[in-house]
Amino acid sequence: MINVIKQTIAQVRAQKMLSIISVVGTALSIFLIMVVVMLQQVKVVPFSPESNRDRFLHAKYGSVHVTNGEDWESNGFISYATAKALYAGLKTPEAVTVYTPYNMTVNISQAAQTAIPVKQMQTDDVFWRVFDFVFIDGKPYDAATFDAAIPVVVISESVSRQLFGTTEVTGRQVMIDHTPFSVAGVVKDVSTLASMSYAQIWVPFTVTGLDKSSWQQGIMGSLGATILARSRDDFDDIRAECDAALKKYNKEIEPTQWELVSRNRPYDQEKQVISDSSNFEPDVKGARRTRFIIYLILLIVPAINLSGMTESRLRKRVEEIGVRRAFGCRRSELFTAILSENLLLTLFAGAIGWLLSVTFAWLCSSFLFAQPYSDASVAPTVDIAMLVQPSTFLWALLFCFILNLLSSGLPAWKASRISLVNAINAK
C-alpha cells in the first residue's frame, strides 16, 4: 500500500495537467451524483421532529368503492371514526396518531396586532409522542385537553417572536381566525422537509370539529394516521393487524354498500414519499429502478471521458510497464496496481466532490429542496446533520469504486496485456 501511494504521488507530479483534469472531472462527477442522492435522502433520513422515520408507517389516505356492482370509488382522507377503527386500536405498535396530514393557511394575531398568515396542522394528543418536537417553552396538550376540545395551540419559535417578541408565552392568548386560543407551548421551527409534521401552529382537531366531520356514510373525512412501530421487525405484524381490522370494519359497514380498500396501506417512509395520489399504490421497485438508471447514466458519461485520460496517462508509462514485466511482475499484479493507483486518485477527488455537494446543498437549500406543489411561505431549512449521514458517505464511497472501475478498468487491462517487447521499446 505504501508503494502504491508513493507511485500515485510520483505519477501525479510527473503528469500534473492530466492528473488535475482527472481529479476535477471525478470531483464534479461525484458532486453531481451526490446532489441527486441528497435530494432523495432528505425525504427518508431521520431528523427532528421525524427522528423515527425508520419506524414510521403512514396511512395518509383511504379508498372506498361501492359494492352494488357499479364502477365507482372515492379516494382521499378518512374520518376519525374510520381511523380509530383501523389504526387506533392496534396492539403491536408503540403509538398511533391521527391528524390532518396536510396544513392549511390561517390567520393568527395577538391583542390588537395585525394578523399574520401561518400554516396550521390539526392533531390529537398522541401526535406529540410520535413526532419528537423540541419544546422551548410550555408543553404539548394532553388527552384530557384533546377530549374536552379546549382551544389551545402550540406555536413555533418564529411565530412566537413575531407575535410576542419572546418565546416565554405559555398561557397567553392569541386569536386564530377570530377564535381565542391559549398558548400551550412553543417548539423550535420545523423544516418544510418534515413532510408529515411541518406546520407553524398545531391545534387539537376536536376544537374545529374534524372529529365529527365525515362523508360517504361516515367513512371518509379529513384525517390520516401515522403508526410508530417499536422496531422495523414489527412491520409485518402491524400490517397483518391492520388487515384484520380492515376486514372487521368492512363487515361493519357492509349495510352502507361501501367497502374500504387498503391499497396495501400503511406505507413505510420510502413508499410514502413517492405516493403522489390516493387512488394508486406507489411502485417502490419502479422508483428505485429509475433512480439507479439515473445514477448509472451520471456515472457512465464521465467514466467514458475519464477512461480516455487514464489511457493517455498509461501511454506515457509504457516503458515503466515493460520494465516491471521484465522483472517478473505478473499481469494480474500490474492490473491490480494500476487500478489501486487510480482508486487513490478517485477517492481523493471523490472526497472533494462530496464536500462540494454537502456545501452546495447546505448553502442553496432554499431552492434545491423546495417542495413541489407547496405554498409554504417559509423556505426549506436544512441542517448540516441531515446531509452528512452515514448513508450518504457510503453512497459516495460506492460511487467512487464504481467510477474507478468504469474509468480505469479497461485501460488497466489493456496496459497489463501489452507485449513485453513493445512495452520496453515504448510502443
Side-chain angles (χ1 to χ4, degrees), residues 106-118 163 175-178:
V106 297
N107 293 308
I108 187 171
S109 62
Q110 187 262 330
Q113 289 182 350
T114 303
I116 58 174
V118 294
L163 292 176
M175 300 293 291
I176 302 176
D177 284 347
H178 308 294

Side-chain angles (χ1 to χ4, degrees), residues 36-285:
V36 176
V37 169
M38 287 175 186
L39 286 172
Q40 169 63 24
Q41 287 290 91
V42 294
K43 300 176 183 178
V44 295
V45 296
F47 61 89
S48 178
E50 298 183 4
S51 301
N52 296 313
R53 278 180 166 179
D54 57 329
R55 296 193 285 139
F56 281 165
L57 284 173
H58 303 287
K60 187 175 181 179
Y61 300 114
S63 304
V64 291
H65 67 79
V66 292
T67 58
N68 59 6
E70 296 181 14
D71 186 17
W72 197 94
E73 68 176 26
S74 175
N75 302 277
F77 302 112
I78 57 178
S79 68
Y80 188 40
T82 301
K84 286 196 298 183
L86 296 180
Y87 309 113
L90 299 178
K91 305 297 182 184
T92 307
E94 180 178 325
V96 178
T97 178
V98 179
Y99 60 106
T100 55
Y102 57 90
N103 48 60
M104 59 185 295
T105 302
V106 297
N107 293 308
I108 187 171
S109 62
Q110 187 262 330
Q113 289 182 350
T114 303
I116 58 174
V118 294
K119 294 299 180 180
Q120 173 185 272
M121 180 176 284
Q122 303 181 46
T123 78
D124 61 6
D125 57 289
V126 187
F127 181 83
W128 306 104
R129 288 196 282 130
V130 173
F131 298 99
D132 58 327
F133 289 80
V134 178
F135 274 80
I136 301 172
D137 187 48
K139 60 182 181 180
Y141 40 84
D142 55 19
T145 302
F146 173 78
D147 293 337
I150 298 174
V152 295
V153 59
V154 172
I155 62 178
S156 66
E157 180 181 5
S158 59
V159 171
S160 178
R161 293 191 184 280
Q162 277 185 278
L163 292 176
F164 303 101
T166 179
T167 56
E168 298 178 358
V169 296
T170 300
R172 298 182 69 169
Q173 298 294 310
V174 294
M175 300 293 291
I176 302 176
D177 284 347
H178 308 294
T179 302
F181 280 75
S182 176
V183 177
V186 180
V187 297
K188 280 190 176 181
D189 288 345
V190 179
S191 171
T192 56
L193 297 175
S195 56
M196 304 306 295
S197 59
Y198 168 76
Q200 292 169 292
I201 65 171
W202 298 261
V203 302
F205 60 74
T206 49
V207 175
T208 61
L210 282 188
D211 55 323
K212 299 178 178 65
S213 175
S214 65
W215 48 92
Q216 239 81 60
Q217 301 292 329
I219 301 171
M220 308 301 286
S222 303
L223 301 168
T226 290
I227 302 166
L228 176 62
R230 301 180 192 280
S231 166
R232 288 188 67 88
D233 297 335
D234 295 336
F235 278 8
D236 290 339
D237 293 337
I238 292 172
R239 290 191 177 104
E241 207 174 341
C242 289
D243 290 340
L246 178 63
K247 290 179 181 178
K248 181 181 177 182
Y249 184 66
N250 278 333
K251 191 70 176 176
E252 293 174 358
I253 64 173
E254 192 173 352
T256 65
Q257 294 190 325
W258 289 100
E259 182 183 38
L260 193 64
V261 182
S262 72
R263 301 196 193 283
N264 290 318
R265 296 184 184 96
Y267 302 149
D268 62 13
Q269 184 70 21
E270 180 188 8
K271 195 170 184 178
Q272 180 59 48
V273 296
I274 62 172
S275 178
D276 296 326
S277 61
S278 57
N279 54 335
F280 292 103
E281 181 181 354
D283 182 7
V284 176
K285 290 184 179 179

